[in-house]
PDB file of all heavy atoms in Angstrom:
ATOM      1  N   GLU A 273      94.803  34.402   0.018  1.00  0.00           N
ATOM      2  CA  GLU A 273      93.515  33.767   0.303  1.00  0.00           C
ATOM      3  C   GLU A 273      92.626  34.710   1.125  1.00  0.00           C
ATOM      4  O   GLU A 273      93.100  35.733   1.666  1.00  0.00           O
ATOM      5  CB  GLU A 273      93.735  32.436   1.065  1.00  0.00           C
ATOM      6  CG  GLU A 273      94.460  31.393   0.223  1.00  0.00           C
ATOM      7  CD  GLU A 273      94.649  30.093   1.039  1.00  0.00           C
ATOM      8  OE1 GLU A 273      94.361  30.108   2.242  1.00  0.00           O
ATOM      9  OE2 GLU A 273      95.130  29.145   0.444  1.00  0.00           O
ATOM     10  N   ASN A 274      91.397  34.354   1.271  1.00  0.00           N
ATOM     11  CA  ASN A 274      90.421  35.074   2.100  1.00  0.00           C
ATOM     12  C   ASN A 274      90.250  36.530   1.584  1.00  0.00           C
ATOM     13  O   ASN A 274      90.059  37.467   2.381  1.00  0.00           O
ATOM     14  CB  ASN A 274      90.839  35.115   3.562  1.00  0.00           C
ATOM     15  CG  ASN A 274      90.905  33.732   4.164  1.00  0.00           C
ATOM     16  OD1 ASN A 274      90.100  32.849   3.841  1.00  0.00           O
ATOM     17  ND2 ASN A 274      91.900  33.476   5.012  1.00  0.00           N
ATOM     18  N   MET A 275      90.298  36.640   0.248  1.00  0.00           N
ATOM     19  CA  MET A 275      90.034  37.978  -0.355  1.00  0.00           C
ATOM     20  C   MET A 275      88.515  38.153  -0.447  1.00  0.00           C
ATOM     21  O   MET A 275      87.818  37.337  -1.048  1.00  0.00           O
ATOM     22  CB  MET A 275      90.665  38.015  -1.725  1.00  0.00           C
ATOM     23  CG  MET A 275      90.776  39.390  -2.361  1.00  0.00           C
ATOM     24  SD  MET A 275      91.896  40.515  -1.510  1.00  0.00           S
ATOM     25  CE  MET A 275      93.499  39.641  -1.631  1.00  0.00           C
ATOM     26  N   ASP A 276      88.027  39.238   0.105  1.00  0.00           N
ATOM     27  CA  ASP A 276      86.589  39.491   0.100  1.00  0.00           C
ATOM     28  C   ASP A 276      86.186  40.284  -1.145  1.00  0.00           C
ATOM     29  O   ASP A 276      85.005  40.275  -1.532  1.00  0.00           O
ATOM     30  CB  ASP A 276      86.142  40.246   1.370  1.00  0.00           C
ATOM     31  CG  ASP A 276      86.366  39.425   2.622  1.00  0.00           C
ATOM     32  OD1 ASP A 276      85.755  38.326   2.700  1.00  0.00           O
ATOM     33  OD2 ASP A 276      87.090  39.879   3.502  1.00  0.00           O
ATOM     34  N   GLY A 277      87.128  40.974  -1.714  1.00  0.00           N
ATOM     35  CA  GLY A 277      86.864  41.753  -2.914  1.00  0.00           C
ATOM     36  C   GLY A 277      86.569  40.939  -4.123  1.00  0.00           C
ATOM     37  O   GLY A 277      87.029  39.760  -4.203  1.00  0.00           O
ATOM     38  N   VAL A 278      85.775  41.482  -5.019  1.00  0.00           N
ATOM     39  CA  VAL A 278      85.382  40.785  -6.278  1.00  0.00           C
ATOM     40  C   VAL A 278      85.910  41.587  -7.444  1.00  0.00           C
ATOM     41  O   VAL A 278      85.828  42.819  -7.459  1.00  0.00           O
ATOM     42  CB  VAL A 278      83.833  40.677  -6.345  1.00  0.00           C
ATOM     43  CG1 VAL A 278      83.375  40.154  -7.689  1.00  0.00           C
ATOM     44  CG2 VAL A 278      83.312  39.813  -5.202  1.00  0.00           C
ATOM     45  N   ASP A 279      86.413  40.878  -8.454  1.00  0.00           N
ATOM     46  CA  ASP A 279      86.886  41.565  -9.668  1.00  0.00           C
ATOM     47  C   ASP A 279      85.682  42.119 -10.443  1.00  0.00           C
ATOM     48  O   ASP A 279      84.836  41.415 -10.926  1.00  0.00           O
ATOM     49  CB  ASP A 279      87.623  40.560 -10.519  1.00  0.00           C
ATOM     50  CG  ASP A 279      88.035  41.112 -11.922  1.00  0.00           C
ATOM     51  OD1 ASP A 279      88.058  42.341 -12.034  1.00  0.00           O
ATOM     52  OD2 ASP A 279      88.396  40.306 -12.766  1.00  0.00           O
ATOM     53  N   GLN A 280      85.655  43.470 -10.550  1.00  0.00           N
ATOM     54  CA  GLN A 280      84.540  44.146 -11.201  1.00  0.00           C
ATOM     55  C   GLN A 280      84.962  44.772 -12.516  1.00  0.00           C
ATOM     56  O   GLN A 280      84.219  45.602 -13.083  1.00  0.00           O
ATOM     57  CB  GLN A 280      84.007  45.265 -10.269  1.00  0.00           C
ATOM     58  CG  GLN A 280      83.531  44.782  -8.935  1.00  0.00           C
ATOM     59  CD  GLN A 280      82.048  44.539  -8.927  1.00  0.00           C
ATOM     60  OE1 GLN A 280      81.402  44.357  -9.966  1.00  0.00           O
ATOM     61  NE2 GLN A 280      81.438  44.463  -7.722  1.00  0.00           N
ATOM     62  N   TRP A 281      86.131  44.402 -13.074  1.00  0.00           N
ATOM     63  CA  TRP A 281      86.623  45.061 -14.239  1.00  0.00           C
ATOM     64  C   TRP A 281      85.657  44.901 -15.463  1.00  0.00           C
ATOM     65  O   TRP A 281      85.378  45.893 -16.159  1.00  0.00           O
ATOM     66  CB  TRP A 281      88.036  44.625 -14.580  1.00  0.00           C
ATOM     67  CG  TRP A 281      88.721  45.354 -15.676  1.00  0.00           C
ATOM     68  CD1 TRP A 281      89.303  44.820 -16.788  1.00  0.00           C
ATOM     69  CD2 TRP A 281      88.835  46.779 -15.803  1.00  0.00           C
ATOM     70  NE1 TRP A 281      89.795  45.849 -17.579  1.00  0.00           N
ATOM     71  CE2 TRP A 281      89.524  47.012 -17.036  1.00  0.00           C
ATOM     72  CE3 TRP A 281      88.431  47.865 -15.006  1.00  0.00           C
ATOM     73  CZ2 TRP A 281      89.825  48.298 -17.493  1.00  0.00           C
ATOM     74  CZ3 TRP A 281      88.727  49.165 -15.461  1.00  0.00           C
ATOM     75  CH2 TRP A 281      89.399  49.382 -16.661  1.00  0.00           C
ATOM     76  N   ASP A 282      85.200  43.698 -15.701  1.00  0.00           N
ATOM     77  CA  ASP A 282      84.298  43.473 -16.817  1.00  0.00           C
ATOM     78  C   ASP A 282      82.951  44.240 -16.640  1.00  0.00           C
ATOM     79  O   ASP A 282      82.397  44.740 -17.604  1.00  0.00           O
ATOM     80  CB  ASP A 282      83.977  41.964 -16.973  1.00  0.00           C
ATOM     81  CG  ASP A 282      85.115  41.230 -17.621  1.00  0.00           C
ATOM     82  OD1 ASP A 282      86.011  41.836 -18.192  1.00  0.00           O
ATOM     83  OD2 ASP A 282      85.154  39.950 -17.481  1.00  0.00           O
ATOM     84  N   THR A 283      82.556  44.351 -15.389  1.00  0.00           N
ATOM     85  CA  THR A 283      81.328  45.131 -15.092  1.00  0.00           C
ATOM     86  C   THR A 283      81.507  46.570 -15.445  1.00  0.00           C
ATOM     87  O   THR A 283      80.642  47.203 -16.005  1.00  0.00           O
ATOM     88  CB  THR A 283      80.947  44.957 -13.614  1.00  0.00           C
ATOM     89  OG1 THR A 283      80.739  43.568 -13.329  1.00  0.00           O
ATOM     90  CG2 THR A 283      79.686  45.738 -13.274  1.00  0.00           C
ATOM     91  N   ILE A 284      82.674  47.116 -15.070  1.00  0.00           N
ATOM     92  CA  ILE A 284      82.982  48.536 -15.356  1.00  0.00           C
ATOM     93  C   ILE A 284      83.186  48.735 -16.835  1.00  0.00           C
ATOM     94  O   ILE A 284      82.619  49.702 -17.425  1.00  0.00           O
ATOM     95  CB  ILE A 284      84.217  48.979 -14.586  1.00  0.00           C
ATOM     96  CG1 ILE A 284      83.918  49.020 -13.066  1.00  0.00           C
ATOM     97  CG2 ILE A 284      84.699  50.335 -15.060  1.00  0.00           C
ATOM     98  CD1 ILE A 284      85.104  49.209 -12.184  1.00  0.00           C
ATOM     99  N   VAL A 285      83.957  47.874 -17.503  1.00  0.00           N
ATOM    100  CA  VAL A 285      84.302  48.102 -18.884  1.00  0.00           C
ATOM    101  C   VAL A 285      83.110  47.889 -19.853  1.00  0.00           C
ATOM    102  O   VAL A 285      82.850  48.721 -20.754  1.00  0.00           O
ATOM    103  CB  VAL A 285      85.408  47.134 -19.302  1.00  0.00           C
ATOM    104  CG1 VAL A 285      85.628  47.137 -20.824  1.00  0.00           C
ATOM    105  CG2 VAL A 285      86.695  47.535 -18.632  1.00  0.00           C
ATOM    106  N   SER A 286      82.346  46.855 -19.628  1.00  0.00           N
ATOM    107  CA  SER A 286      81.321  46.474 -20.641  1.00  0.00           C
ATOM    108  C   SER A 286      79.920  46.391 -20.060  1.00  0.00           C
ATOM    109  O   SER A 286      78.985  46.081 -20.796  1.00  0.00           O
ATOM    110  CB  SER A 286      81.661  45.175 -21.331  1.00  0.00           C
ATOM    111  OG  SER A 286      81.835  44.125 -20.371  1.00  0.00           O
ATOM    112  N   GLY A 287      79.769  46.722 -18.771  1.00  0.00           N
ATOM    113  CA  GLY A 287      78.429  46.700 -18.220  1.00  0.00           C
ATOM    114  C   GLY A 287      77.896  45.311 -17.895  1.00  0.00           C
ATOM    115  O   GLY A 287      76.686  45.162 -17.692  1.00  0.00           O
ATOM    116  N   LYS A 288      78.778  44.315 -17.827  1.00  0.00           N
ATOM    117  CA  LYS A 288      78.313  42.959 -17.519  1.00  0.00           C
ATOM    118  C   LYS A 288      77.780  42.907 -16.070  1.00  0.00           C
ATOM    119  O   LYS A 288      78.148  43.719 -15.207  1.00  0.00           O
ATOM    120  CB  LYS A 288      79.449  41.967 -17.663  1.00  0.00           C
ATOM    121  CG  LYS A 288      79.874  41.736 -19.131  1.00  0.00           C
ATOM    122  CD  LYS A 288      80.955  40.672 -19.199  1.00  0.00           C
ATOM    123  CE  LYS A 288      81.367  40.412 -20.648  1.00  0.00           C
ATOM    124  NZ  LYS A 288      82.447  39.363 -20.737  1.00  0.00           N
ATOM    125  N   GLU A 289      76.927  41.982 -15.804  1.00  0.00           N
ATOM    126  CA  GLU A 289      76.348  41.799 -14.481  1.00  0.00           C
ATOM    127  C   GLU A 289      77.435  41.509 -13.466  1.00  0.00           C
ATOM    128  O   GLU A 289      78.361  40.709 -13.743  1.00  0.00           O
ATOM    129  CB  GLU A 289      75.327  40.705 -14.471  1.00  0.00           C
ATOM    130  CG  GLU A 289      74.588  40.522 -13.210  1.00  0.00           C
ATOM    131  CD  GLU A 289      73.496  39.456 -13.259  1.00  0.00           C
ATOM    132  OE1 GLU A 289      73.143  39.058 -14.396  1.00  0.00           O
ATOM    133  OE2 GLU A 289      73.016  39.054 -12.201  1.00  0.00           O
ATOM    134  N   SER A 290      77.401  42.182 -12.334  1.00  0.00           N
ATOM    135  CA  SER A 290      78.401  41.999 -11.322  1.00  0.00           C
ATOM    136  C   SER A 290      78.353  40.582 -10.703  1.00  0.00           C
ATOM    137  O   SER A 290      77.241  39.999 -10.575  1.00  0.00           O
ATOM    138  CB  SER A 290      78.205  43.033 -10.204  1.00  0.00           C
ATOM    139  OG  SER A 290      79.055  42.761  -9.108  1.00  0.00           O
ATOM    140  N   LYS A 291      79.527  40.058 -10.346  1.00  0.00           N
ATOM    141  CA  LYS A 291      79.606  38.763  -9.656  1.00  0.00           C
ATOM    142  C   LYS A 291      79.194  38.877  -8.201  1.00  0.00           C
ATOM    143  O   LYS A 291      78.978  37.905  -7.512  1.00  0.00           O
ATOM    144  CB  LYS A 291      80.992  38.187  -9.770  1.00  0.00           C
ATOM    145  CG  LYS A 291      81.519  37.998 -11.197  1.00  0.00           C
ATOM    146  CD  LYS A 291      82.936  37.582 -11.262  1.00  0.00           C
ATOM    147  CE  LYS A 291      83.469  37.506 -12.665  1.00  0.00           C
ATOM    148  NZ  LYS A 291      84.943  37.235 -12.690  1.00  0.00           N
ATOM    149  N   ARG A 292      79.126  40.116  -7.718  1.00  0.00           N
ATOM    150  CA  ARG A 292      78.831  40.359  -6.299  1.00  0.00           C
ATOM    151  C   ARG A 292      77.322  40.387  -6.112  1.00  0.00           C
ATOM    152  O   ARG A 292      76.605  41.159  -6.746  1.00  0.00           O
ATOM    153  CB  ARG A 292      79.431  41.676  -5.819  1.00  0.00           C
ATOM    154  CG  ARG A 292      79.110  41.931  -4.360  1.00  0.00           C
ATOM    155  CD  ARG A 292      79.810  43.174  -3.855  1.00  0.00           C
ATOM    156  NE  ARG A 292      81.242  43.040  -3.564  1.00  0.00           N
ATOM    157  CZ  ARG A 292      81.744  42.404  -2.533  1.00  0.00           C
ATOM    158  NH1 ARG A 292      80.932  41.811  -1.667  1.00  0.00           N
ATOM    159  NH2 ARG A 292      83.055  42.314  -2.378  1.00  0.00           N
ATOM    160  N   GLU A 293      76.862  39.496  -5.240  1.00  0.00           N
ATOM    161  CA  GLU A 293      75.443  39.442  -4.891  1.00  0.00           C
ATOM    162  C   GLU A 293      75.173  39.861  -3.460  1.00  0.00           C
ATOM    163  O   GLU A 293      73.980  40.035  -3.071  1.00  0.00           O
ATOM    164  CB  GLU A 293      74.934  38.001  -5.177  1.00  0.00           C
ATOM    165  CG  GLU A 293      75.022  37.546  -6.615  1.00  0.00           C
ATOM    166  CD  GLU A 293      74.578  36.142  -6.814  1.00  0.00           C
ATOM    167  OE1 GLU A 293      74.371  35.411  -5.761  1.00  0.00           O
ATOM    168  OE2 GLU A 293      74.415  35.709  -7.972  1.00  0.00           O
ATOM    169  N   SER A 294      76.227  39.925  -2.648  1.00  0.00           N
ATOM    170  CA  SER A 294      76.038  40.273  -1.268  1.00  0.00           C
ATOM    171  C   SER A 294      77.250  41.029  -0.733  1.00  0.00           C
ATOM    172  O   SER A 294      78.313  41.027  -1.404  1.00  0.00           O
ATOM    173  CB  SER A 294      75.856  38.981  -0.433  1.00  0.00           C
ATOM    174  OG  SER A 294      77.011  38.145  -0.557  1.00  0.00           O
ATOM    175  N   VAL A 295      77.071  41.696   0.401  1.00  0.00           N
ATOM    176  CA  VAL A 295      78.224  42.381   1.020  1.00  0.00           C
ATOM    177  C   VAL A 295      77.982  42.464   2.515  1.00  0.00           C
ATOM    178  O   VAL A 295      76.850  42.739   2.989  1.00  0.00           O
ATOM    179  CB  VAL A 295      78.369  43.796   0.400  1.00  0.00           C
ATOM    180  CG1 VAL A 295      77.145  44.633   0.596  1.00  0.00           C
ATOM    181  CG2 VAL A 295      79.586  44.503   0.967  1.00  0.00           C
ATOM    182  N   LEU A 296      79.030  42.200   3.262  1.00  0.00           N
ATOM    183  CA  LEU A 296      79.023  42.491   4.686  1.00  0.00           C
ATOM    184  C   LEU A 296      79.341  43.937   4.862  1.00  0.00           C
ATOM    185  O   LEU A 296      80.443  44.379   4.511  1.00  0.00           O
ATOM    186  CB  LEU A 296      80.076  41.591   5.406  1.00  0.00           C
ATOM    187  CG  LEU A 296      80.166  41.846   6.930  1.00  0.00           C
ATOM    188  CD1 LEU A 296      78.966  41.303   7.625  1.00  0.00           C
ATOM    189  CD2 LEU A 296      81.475  41.243   7.493  1.00  0.00           C
ATOM    190  N   LEU A 297      78.419  44.668   5.407  1.00  0.00           N
ATOM    191  CA  LEU A 297      78.578  46.115   5.563  1.00  0.00           C
ATOM    192  C   LEU A 297      79.396  46.465   6.766  1.00  0.00           C
ATOM    193  O   LEU A 297      80.147  47.473   6.741  1.00  0.00           O
ATOM    194  CB  LEU A 297      77.221  46.816   5.556  1.00  0.00           C
ATOM    195  CG  LEU A 297      76.430  46.631   4.236  1.00  0.00           C
ATOM    196  CD1 LEU A 297      75.023  47.171   4.396  1.00  0.00           C
ATOM    197  CD2 LEU A 297      77.126  47.314   3.103  1.00  0.00           C
ATOM    198  N   ASN A 298      79.278  45.675   7.802  1.00  0.00           N
ATOM    199  CA  ASN A 298      80.222  45.811   8.973  1.00  0.00           C
ATOM    200  C   ASN A 298      79.702  44.974  10.095  1.00  0.00           C
ATOM    201  O   ASN A 298      78.507  44.656  10.216  1.00  0.00           O
ATOM    202  CB  ASN A 298      80.363  47.236   9.464  1.00  0.00           C
ATOM    203  CG  ASN A 298      81.582  47.461  10.291  1.00  0.00           C
ATOM    204  OD1 ASN A 298      82.570  46.718  10.162  1.00  0.00           O
ATOM    205  ND2 ASN A 298      81.622  48.429  11.177  1.00  0.00           N
ATOM    206  N   ILE A 299      80.614  44.570  10.948  1.00  0.00           N
ATOM    207  CA  ILE A 299      80.288  44.005  12.296  1.00  0.00           C
ATOM    208  C   ILE A 299      81.136  44.814  13.300  1.00  0.00           C
ATOM    209  O   ILE A 299      82.373  44.787  13.216  1.00  0.00           O
ATOM    210  CB  ILE A 299      80.638  42.517  12.385  1.00  0.00           C
ATOM    211  CG1 ILE A 299      79.893  41.682  11.341  1.00  0.00           C
ATOM    212  CG2 ILE A 299      80.324  42.006  13.826  1.00  0.00           C
ATOM    213  CD1 ILE A 299      80.310  40.230  11.301  1.00  0.00           C
ATOM    214  N   ASP A 300      80.469  45.493  14.181  1.00  0.00           N
ATOM    215  CA  ASP A 300      81.193  46.178  15.233  1.00  0.00           C
ATOM    216  C   ASP A 300      80.784  45.517  16.536  1.00  0.00           C
ATOM    217  O   ASP A 300      79.718  45.827  17.112  1.00  0.00           O
ATOM    218  CB  ASP A 300      80.820  47.672  15.229  1.00  0.00           C
ATOM    219  CG  ASP A 300      81.675  48.504  16.248  1.00  0.00           C
ATOM    220  OD1 ASP A 300      82.079  47.938  17.291  1.00  0.00           O
ATOM    221  OD2 ASP A 300      81.936  49.663  15.936  1.00  0.00           O
ATOM    222  N   GLU A 301      81.637  44.608  16.978  1.00  0.00           N
ATOM    223  CA  GLU A 301      81.258  43.762  18.183  1.00  0.00           C
ATOM    224  C   GLU A 301      81.312  44.604  19.455  1.00  0.00           C
ATOM    225  O   GLU A 301      80.743  44.206  20.468  1.00  0.00           O
ATOM    226  CB  GLU A 301      82.148  42.554  18.259  1.00  0.00           C
ATOM    227  CG  GLU A 301      83.606  42.772  18.777  1.00  0.00           C
ATOM    228  CD  GLU A 301      84.526  43.326  17.743  1.00  0.00           C
ATOM    229  OE1 GLU A 301      84.070  43.854  16.685  1.00  0.00           O
ATOM    230  OE2 GLU A 301      85.768  43.323  17.989  1.00  0.00           O
ATOM    231  N   VAL A 302      82.040  45.689  19.437  1.00  0.00           N
ATOM    232  CA  VAL A 302      82.088  46.569  20.670  1.00  0.00           C
ATOM    233  C   VAL A 302      80.822  47.396  20.807  1.00  0.00           C
ATOM    234  O   VAL A 302      80.220  47.444  21.873  1.00  0.00           O
ATOM    235  CB  VAL A 302      83.333  47.496  20.593  1.00  0.00           C
ATOM    236  CG1 VAL A 302      83.282  48.509  21.712  1.00  0.00           C
ATOM    237  CG2 VAL A 302      84.595  46.671  20.627  1.00  0.00           C
ATOM    238  N   GLU A 303      80.397  47.978  19.715  1.00  0.00           N
ATOM    239  CA  GLU A 303      79.108  48.739  19.717  1.00  0.00           C
ATOM    240  C   GLU A 303      77.890  47.849  19.559  1.00  0.00           C
ATOM    241  O   GLU A 303      76.774  48.302  19.681  1.00  0.00           O
ATOM    242  CB  GLU A 303      79.142  49.796  18.601  1.00  0.00           C
ATOM    243  CG  GLU A 303      80.229  50.864  18.719  1.00  0.00           C
ATOM    244  CD  GLU A 303      80.034  51.704  19.916  1.00  0.00           C
ATOM    245  OE1 GLU A 303      78.868  51.933  20.345  1.00  0.00           O
ATOM    246  OE2 GLU A 303      81.038  52.225  20.435  1.00  0.00           O
ATOM    247  N   ASP A 304      78.112  46.558  19.265  1.00  0.00           N
ATOM    248  CA  ASP A 304      77.084  45.593  19.091  1.00  0.00           C
ATOM    249  C   ASP A 304      76.116  45.991  17.938  1.00  0.00           C
ATOM    250  O   ASP A 304      74.897  45.937  18.112  1.00  0.00           O
ATOM    251  CB  ASP A 304      76.302  45.375  20.389  1.00  0.00           C
ATOM    252  CG  ASP A 304      75.404  44.133  20.342  1.00  0.00           C
ATOM    253  OD1 ASP A 304      75.694  43.234  19.558  1.00  0.00           O
ATOM    254  OD2 ASP A 304      74.399  44.085  21.074  1.00  0.00           O
ATOM    255  N   VAL A 305      76.677  46.318  16.812  1.00  0.00           N
ATOM    256  CA  VAL A 305      75.915  46.722  15.612  1.00  0.00           C
ATOM    257  C   VAL A 305      76.487  46.016  14.466  1.00  0.00           C
ATOM    258  O   VAL A 305      77.719  45.829  14.305  1.00  0.00           O
ATOM    259  CB  VAL A 305      76.029  48.255  15.404  1.00  0.00           C
ATOM    260  CG1 VAL A 305      75.315  48.623  14.107  1.00  0.00           C
ATOM    261  CG2 VAL A 305      75.431  49.017  16.556  1.00  0.00           C
ATOM    262  N   SER A 306      75.599  45.476  13.562  1.00  0.00           N
ATOM    263  CA  SER A 306      76.083  44.814  12.363  1.00  0.00           C
ATOM    264  C   SER A 306      75.096  45.020  11.245  1.00  0.00           C
ATOM    265  O   SER A 306      73.900  45.401  11.480  1.00  0.00           O
ATOM    266  CB  SER A 306      76.298  43.355  12.610  1.00  0.00           C
ATOM    267  OG  SER A 306      75.138  42.701  13.083  1.00  0.00           O
ATOM    268  N   SER A 307      75.559  44.807  10.022  1.00  0.00           N
ATOM    269  CA  SER A 307      74.676  44.995   8.869  1.00  0.00           C
ATOM    270  C   SER A 307      75.218  44.226   7.688  1.00  0.00           C
ATOM    271  O   SER A 307      76.451  44.060   7.525  1.00  0.00           O
ATOM    272  CB  SER A 307      74.531  46.475   8.530  1.00  0.00           C
ATOM    273  OG  SER A 307      73.711  46.666   7.415  1.00  0.00           O
ATOM    274  N   ALA A 308      74.292  43.779   6.848  1.00  0.00           N
ATOM    275  CA  ALA A 308      74.699  43.086   5.601  1.00  0.00           C
ATOM    276  C   ALA A 308      73.623  43.330   4.558  1.00  0.00           C
ATOM    277  O   ALA A 308      72.473  43.708   4.882  1.00  0.00           O
ATOM    278  CB  ALA A 308      74.868  41.591   5.866  1.00  0.00           C
ATOM    279  N   LEU A 309      73.977  43.035   3.299  1.00  0.00           N
ATOM    280  CA  LEU A 309      73.057  43.272   2.201  1.00  0.00           C
ATOM    281  C   LEU A 309      73.150  42.065   1.232  1.00  0.00           C
ATOM    282  O   LEU A 309      74.261  41.658   0.886  1.00  0.00           O
ATOM    283  CB  LEU A 309      73.447  44.568   1.481  1.00  0.00           C
ATOM    284  CG  LEU A 309      72.520  45.190   0.419  1.00  0.00           C
ATOM    285  CD1 LEU A 309      72.864  46.664   0.276  1.00  0.00           C
ATOM    286  CD2 LEU A 309      72.606  44.490  -0.906  1.00  0.00           C
ATOM    287  N   ILE A 310      72.020  41.520   0.936  1.00  0.00           N
ATOM    288  CA  ILE A 310      71.924  40.428  -0.058  1.00  0.00           C
ATOM    289  C   ILE A 310      70.852  40.800  -1.045  1.00  0.00           C
ATOM    290  O   ILE A 310      69.678  41.025  -0.672  1.00  0.00           O
ATOM    291  CB  ILE A 310      71.594  39.073   0.599  1.00  0.00           C
ATOM    292  CG1 ILE A 310      72.707  38.627   1.555  1.00  0.00           C
ATOM    293  CG2 ILE A 310      71.436  37.991  -0.497  1.00  0.00           C
ATOM    294  CD1 ILE A 310      72.433  37.290   2.252  1.00  0.00           C
ATOM    295  N   GLY A 311      71.229  40.870  -2.304  1.00  0.00           N
ATOM    296  CA  GLY A 311      70.244  41.280  -3.305  1.00  0.00           C
ATOM    297  C   GLY A 311      69.769  42.713  -3.084  1.00  0.00           C
ATOM    298  O   GLY A 311      70.570  43.608  -2.925  1.00  0.00           O
ATOM    299  N   LYS A 312      68.501  42.854  -2.949  1.00  0.00           N
ATOM    300  CA  LYS A 312      67.954  44.212  -2.679  1.00  0.00           C
ATOM    301  C   LYS A 312      67.673  44.458  -1.201  1.00  0.00           C
ATOM    302  O   LYS A 312      67.212  45.527  -0.852  1.00  0.00           O
ATOM    303  CB  LYS A 312      66.700  44.439  -3.512  1.00  0.00           C
ATOM    304  CG  LYS A 312      65.527  43.580  -3.131  1.00  0.00           C
ATOM    305  CD  LYS A 312      64.306  43.929  -3.993  1.00  0.00           C
ATOM    306  CE  LYS A 312      63.062  43.130  -3.599  1.00  0.00           C
ATOM    307  NZ  LYS A 312      61.866  43.527  -4.373  1.00  0.00           N
ATOM    308  N   TYR A 313      67.892  43.437  -0.348  1.00  0.00           N
ATOM    309  CA  TYR A 313      67.519  43.588   1.065  1.00  0.00           C
ATOM    310  C   TYR A 313      68.748  43.839   1.939  1.00  0.00           C
ATOM    311  O   TYR A 313      69.773  43.160   1.806  1.00  0.00           O
ATOM    312  CB  TYR A 313      66.807  42.317   1.507  1.00  0.00           C
ATOM    313  CG  TYR A 313      65.406  42.176   0.940  1.00  0.00           C
ATOM    314  CD1 TYR A 313      65.175  41.261  -0.074  1.00  0.00           C
ATOM    315  CD2 TYR A 313      64.372  43.018   1.347  1.00  0.00           C
ATOM    316  CE1 TYR A 313      63.879  41.136  -0.613  1.00  0.00           C
ATOM    317  CE2 TYR A 313      63.104  42.887   0.824  1.00  0.00           C
ATOM    318  CZ  TYR A 313      62.902  41.942  -0.171  1.00  0.00           C
ATOM    319  OH  TYR A 313      61.626  41.834  -0.720  1.00  0.00           O
ATOM    320  N   LYS A 314      68.539  44.755   2.832  1.00  0.00           N
ATOM    321  CA  LYS A 314      69.588  45.155   3.799  1.00  0.00           C
ATOM    322  C   LYS A 314      69.074  45.025   5.188  1.00  0.00           C
ATOM    323  O   LYS A 314      67.990  45.518   5.505  1.00  0.00           O
ATOM    324  CB  LYS A 314      70.060  46.571   3.503  1.00  0.00           C
ATOM    325  CG  LYS A 314      71.002  47.206   4.531  1.00  0.00           C
ATOM    326  CD  LYS A 314      71.316  48.625   4.184  1.00  0.00           C
ATOM    327  CE  LYS A 314      72.004  49.327   5.303  1.00  0.00           C
ATOM    328  NZ  LYS A 314      72.201  50.756   5.003  1.00  0.00           N
ATOM    329  N   LEU A 315      69.879  44.375   6.076  1.00  0.00           N
ATOM    330  CA  LEU A 315      69.496  44.192   7.477  1.00  0.00           C
ATOM    331  C   LEU A 315      70.456  44.952   8.342  1.00  0.00           C
ATOM    332  O   LEU A 315      71.669  44.870   8.176  1.00  0.00           O
ATOM    333  CB  LEU A 315      69.519  42.684   7.838  1.00  0.00           C
ATOM    334  CG  LEU A 315      69.212  42.333   9.293  1.00  0.00           C
ATOM    335  CD1 LEU A 315      67.729  42.627   9.588  1.00  0.00           C
ATOM    336  CD2 LEU A 315      69.588  40.893   9.595  1.00  0.00           C
TER     337      LEU A 315
END
């Protein structure tokens, strides 16, 4: 459970649209820096 990865095999093999629409790029609570991406926007 709690798998963050998405199966991309069909996307790689046949070019189907990816199931992934967002990604957590990182949270570094010590350095107090974080980033994420949804669609075309990255914060």
